[in-house]
Amino acid sequence: MVSLLHPGLLPWLLAASVPIVIHLLTRRTRRRLDLPTVKFLQKAMAQQSDIFRWRHLLLMLLRTLAILALVAAFTKPTLNSPLAAQTNDRSSVVLILDTSASMGYVDGGASTLSRAKSDAIKVLSSLRDSVKVNVILCDAHPQSVASELTTDFPALERSLRDAKPSQERANPNAAINMAVEQLGKSGAKSKQIYVFSDFQRGNWADVKFESVPADTKMAFVGAASDHRANVGITSIRLSPTAPRIGEPVAVECEVFNSGDSLRTLPVNLSVSTGERQTQNVSLAPFSSATASFTLQFDSPKQIECVASIPADNLPLDDLRRVVIDLKKTAVVLVITDEDPKKAPNSTFFLTHALHPGAAAQSGVQIITVKPAALNNPTLHAADAVIVCNAPQMPDVQFQALSRYASGGGNLIWFLYGDKIADQMTKLGRQLPATEPMPLQIDHVADLSGNGKGYVTLAEAHYESPLLKAFKDPAAADLSKIQFRKICVTGEVDPRAETLLKFDDGTCAVAHTIEGSGNLLLVNMSPDPTWSDLARQPAFLPLLHEFLKGLLSHNTAAAEFVAGGSASSTVAANSLGQGAKISCSGPMGLLPVSSDPVTGSIVVDNVPQSGFYHIDAGQNQVASLAVNIHSDESDLRTIDPRELETQQRRESSYFAGMGKADSDLDSLSKGRPLWQYLLAFALLCLFGEQAVSRVTAKGRKK
């Protein structure tokens, strides 16, 4: 389809009749001459008159075409693209601008976001005033500039010019769904979505297009330069994750090279106590290296650490923060349907073994909740979660517990109760297929009427950090515990670690890694009807060694990223009676919610990286480290065509992502034809001159 920028010039096409009129008026008048002396030339003249007549017609044709091409060139015709052809009065367009952290990459003096903004403004200016448009700024929480599609182009352009890169990941799925919803409400016949992004693989690899109707056209405009080399600190790990006073702490900083050349650079660690350490790392292309530092502290306080590397084109990921909390007590969340204050039941004995009473200094804070009352802030604030006799566990909580363990948590499940086999099956369904349950339960066996009426512990893997203390012969004797009820299990998965076995060969305790966390299945119960575990001297040290071993295991501690929430759990008495809880960060005060009973404190949204301080009245009770998401450091891109091929979606339109792509002007406006028409007109005029010269020479001869 061709459109004209100046259709008012079309009447000038009548000028093409001028060469025809001239041709008719200048035709040579023929006269018949019968001269005997020249009759012998008649035959030759008859042959050549046809040639000269065709030359005359050719001159007329070239002059006519030249005038037509010149007039058509001044009308500015454009060969419309499928997108430009649809921007009519019944069209709606949504522009999605990626403002994630990776868009702040600066190359050649211009950021990736600035190029994307320029392209978006160019598309906006190409639309007709009657087209309804909106702009969606895409980060972790996409926001539309206007509440609905609008024709207020100046306001939309201002929003594009003012857009700045955030410190968050992009959420393309949410932005696309928002655009589809707005276009659906418009009722427009033609609907289009433009996406301006660097199409970073970490953000776009999982994007789905199922929500985009078939009649909605999508255009992907790439803004990333061809080579975006970057080095960033992607993680800081503490070992142990919950260190104690006087205990050496290993701070491991992982650095990633998102470039195709070898890099060697220093990694600096700055501690709030004033200590500084430096270590050099060498990074192969697209690979990681780790710088390890050892620290030790002799007082109970919170230590803020900052790891940094020399600044580059993406400064946001050149430093990363972590808090070493030496005054933190381990928070153990016990999920149970039993009353922990009422003896005798398993939960009563478990909680009293971990924390005997208010006067005892056990270093453990116990929180007990009913399964139905479990919520994410309480769950993710726990250093370890113990599930003991929770038959009323809702199905949704199995998914929550699976995510908790996979995300770096420590989950201890006592295989106790009438529904334990069914619960293990439900938990197994939620775990990743690559990291299945370590064992399956066949049934619960009551041994009180069979043989000696009990089983004992016969085999132990004392090399495990969870049982190392019992390797000493002077330690409590585990073999003296008598178990009258146990769960009969199948074979233990070879990827799991069998810590303890009963004398009949049944697994007593199995440990496995789930994601970046731990899952410990304990096939025993301190309930007096199941065993005499609670009465044995080995009970308390065994429970504490399990907990200590899991907490000191080299797993990833909970990390807070910009655009998400941050939380902490402090001793309930540190919040004070009626004290005002506040949170201050790089952007000032932020709203915070707290539970004085459990000591749980949650900041719903932390938009920037930095240290956030939680205050109860005039006292600081917690410090939280917030960083940008590690995926933002890997600047490798993905071609949206790859995603469309995987999802069998019809091809969309692309610009800025390869030599085979259209340029943005062709994508949004179509291809202008006036320069081709002007060249054709000049070619016709040159041809007319050439034919005229040949004709003149022929006549002279």
Side-chain angles (χ1 to χ4, degrees):
M1 182 177 179
V2 177
S3 61
L4 303 176
L5 184 61
H6 303 301
L9 297 177
L10 287 176
W12 283 94
L13 291 175
L14 296 175
S17 61
V18 172
I20 300 175
V21 173
I22 295 175
H23 169 73
L24 294 175
L25 293 177
T26 57
R27 285 189 307 173
R28 299 177 65 182
T29 303
R30 295 181 180 181
R31 292 180 297 172
R32 185 178 182 83
L33 299 175
D34 295 328
L35 298 177
T37 56
V38 294
K39 282 184 178 181
F40 67 94
L41 296 175
Q42 287 181 349
K43 185 175 181 180
M45 290 178 62
Q47 292 175 349
Q48 294 192 24
S49 63
D50 289 339
I51 296 174
F52 281 100
R53 183 168 62 252
W54 282 110
R55 286 176 176 172
H56 201 63
L57 292 174
L58 182 58
L59 286 172
M60 179 187 69
L61 177 63
L62 291 172
R63 290 163 183 166
T64 303
L65 291 176
I67 293 176
L68 287 173
L70 283 172
V71 174
F74 281 104
T75 65
K76 292 289 186 73
T78 300
L79 181 62
N80 289 329
S81 72
L83 287 176
Q86 297 174 17
T87 54
N88 49 45
D89 294 347
R90 298 187 61 188
S91 295
S92 294
V93 180
V94 174
L95 310 179
I96 298 176
L97 178 65
D98 185 349
T99 58
S100 61
S102 63
M103 296 291 285
Y105 183 87
V106 177
D107 184 19
S111 68
T112 305
L113 181 61
S114 65
R115 287 190 284 268
K117 287 162 55 174
S118 177
D119 290 340
I121 292 172
K122 185 181 295 186
V123 171
L124 185 65
S125 63
S126 72
L127 302 175
R128 299 179 183 178
D129 294 340
S130 56
V131 176
K132 292 185 176 181
V133 195
N134 205 350
V135 172
I136 295 176
L137 304 178
C138 179
D139 51 20
H141 309 281
Q143 296 179 340
S144 59
V145 172
S147 58
E148 58 184 11
L149 297 176
T150 179
T151 56
D152 189 356
F153 282 48
L156 296 178
E157 183 174 341
R158 283 195 301 272
S159 70
L160 289 172
R161 293 188 185 278
D162 295 341
K164 293 179 174 56
S166 69
Q167 296 189 16
E168 305 172 3
R169 291 189 73 192
N171 188 350
N173 279 318
I176 290 172
N177 291 339
M178 185 182 296
V180 169
E181 181 180 0
Q182 293 185 4
L183 291 173
K185 292 179 180 179
S186 70
K189 183 178 179 181
S190 170
K191 298 183 281 290
Q192 302 170 23
I193 298 174
Y194 281 84
V195 181
F196 304 89
S197 173
D198 58 357
F199 299 105
Q200 184 197 32
R201 183 173 290 272
N203 283 325
W204 283 86
D206 297 325
V207 174
K208 306 296 182 184
F209 299 112
E210 288 94 345
S211 64
V212 182
D215 62 346
T216 299
K217 301 295 182 182
M218 293 195 69
F220 300 93
V221 184
S225 55
D226 292 337
H227 300 286
R228 294 195 301 171
N230 178 56
V231 177
I233 303 177
T234 54
S235 74
I236 295 185
R237 296 185 298 271
L238 300 179
S239 181
T241 55
R244 300 185 183 276
I245 298 171
E247 183 179 17
V249 183
V251 182
E252 297 182 345
C253 305
E254 185 177 89
V255 187
F256 179 72
N257 177 16
S258 179
D260 55 6
S261 60
L262 178 68
R263 297 289 302 275
T264 299
L265 44 78
V267 180
N268 303 305
L269 183 68
S270 302
V271 187
S272 56
T273 58
E275 184 176 355
R276 292 179 61 89
Q277 296 185 33
T278 301
Q279 185 180 117
N280 290 331
V281 295
S282 294
L283 299 157
F286 303 108
S287 64
S288 299
T290 300
S292 183
F293 306 92
T294 301
L295 303 173
Q296 191 170 350
F297 306 97
D298 56 5
S299 59
K301 55 186 175 182
Q302 291 182 323
I303 310 297
E304 296 178 348
C305 301
V306 178
S308 62
I309 57 176
D312 57 14
N313 292 341
L314 185 63
L316 282 176
D317 66 351
D318 292 338
L319 55 85
R320 207 163 189 87
R321 306 162 184 84
V322 69
V323 173
I324 303 175
D325 195 349
L326 294 166
K327 67 178 183 179
K328 177 180 173 62
T329 57
V331 177
V332 177
L333 178 66
V334 180
I335 304 173
T336 181
D337 281 313
E338 297 176 337
D339 185 351
K341 298 179 181 179
K342 185 177 181 181
N345 61 49
S346 58
T347 304
F348 173 84
F349 293 116
L350 281 174
T351 55
H352 281 73
L354 290 171
H355 189 76
Q361 299 296 321
S362 67
V364 177
Q365 178 184 351
I366 304 296
I367 301 174
T368 58
V369 297
K370 296 289 187 182
L374 180 64
N375 56 60
N376 280 330
T378 303
L379 176 62
H380 290 282
D383 297 296
V385 174
I386 296 177
V387 182
C388 179
N389 197 21
Q392 304 301 320
M393 179 85 71
D395 290 346
V396 67
Q397 303 296 29
F398 289 95
Q399 183 179 6
L401 290 170
S402 172
R403 287 200 303 265
Y404 167 78
S406 300
N410 300 297
L411 179 59
I412 305 173
W413 206 302
F414 279 82
L415 306 184
Y416 164 60
D418 296 335
K419 295 186 177 181
I420 189 62
D422 180 56
Q423 289 183 328
M424 289 298 98
T425 300
K426 290 180 178 180
L427 179 64
R429 291 172 182 165
Q430 300 298 331
L431 295 176
T434 55
E435 295 167 341
M437 288 287 291
L439 54 80
Q440 297 295 327
I441 297 177
D442 294 332
H443 63 279
V444 175
D446 188 347
L447 308 175
S448 56
N450 299 324
K452 62 182 180 180
Y454 60 87
V455 292
T456 58
L457 295 171
E459 294 184 34
H461 180 45
Y462 292 121
E463 299 303 322
S464 170
L466 281 71
L467 288 177
K468 189 181 297 183
F470 293 92
K471 188 176 182 179
D472 186 351
D477 189 355
L478 297 177
S479 64
K480 292 183 178 181
I481 309 172
Q482 298 179 3
F483 300 91
R484 290 179 290 277
K485 285 186 180 180
I486 63 170
C487 294
V488 178
T489 68
E491 291 293 327
V492 177
D493 190 284
R495 288 167 288 189
E497 178 186 22
T498 301
L499 298 179
L500 291 169
K501 277 187 178 183
F502 295 118
D503 54 11
D504 67 349
T506 304
C507 176
V509 179
H511 169 245
T512 185
I513 301 296
E514 294 292 342
S516 56
N518 294 286
L519 174 62
L520 186 69
L521 299 183
V522 183
N523 188 8
M524 56 183 70
S525 170
D527 188 290
T529 62
W530 281 57
S531 71
D532 64 352
L533 175 63
R535 297 200 303 266
Q536 293 293 333
F539 175 46
L540 193 148
L542 179 64
L543 190 58
H544 278 267
E545 284 302 305
F546 282 164
L547 190 59
K548 180 183 176 181
L550 293 179
L551 294 179
S552 63
H553 199 276
N554 190 20
T555 57
E559 187 176 29
F560 308 121
V561 297
S565 62
S567 62
S568 179
T569 302
V570 300
N573 56 12
S574 67
L575 297 181
Q577 185 66 29
K580 181 181 179 181
I581 310 301
S582 61
C583 175
S584 59
M587 298 181 65
L589 292 177
L590 292 175
V592 61
S593 58
S594 62
D595 185 351
V597 176
T598 63
S600 174
I601 301 172
V602 179
V603 185
D604 290 330
N605 183 25
V606 283
Q608 287 191 354
S609 58
F611 288 109
Y612 290 75
H613 300 127
I614 307 294
D615 297 323
Q618 300 298 319
N619 300 320
Q620 180 178 315
V621 295
S623 178
L624 307 176
V626 176
N627 299 294
I628 72 166
H629 199 286
S630 59
D631 284 353
E632 294 300 297
S633 295
D634 189 350
L635 299 184
R636 286 174 289 186
T637 61
I638 188 171
D639 194 324
R641 281 167 287 211
E642 179 181 334
L643 300 176
E644 289 198 325
T645 301
Q646 293 173 357
Q647 300 175 34
R648 299 181 180 178
R649 176 180 164 80
E650 293 183 1
S651 178
S652 296
Y653 306 93
F654 307 90
M657 288 175 288
K659 296 180 179 179
D661 290 337
S662 303
D663 57 46
L664 185 59
D665 286 337
S666 299
L667 186 66
S668 60
K669 301 177 182 178
R671 186 177 297 278
L673 301 177
W674 65 268
Q675 63 268 41
Y676 301 107
L677 292 171
L678 188 61
F680 181 72
L682 292 175
L683 185 63
C684 289
L685 291 176
F686 282 127
E688 186 267 347
Q689 289 296 315
V691 173
S692 297
R693 291 176 180 274
V694 171
T695 304
K697 289 180 180 179
R699 286 175 177 171
K700 288 178 181 180
K701 291 180 181 180

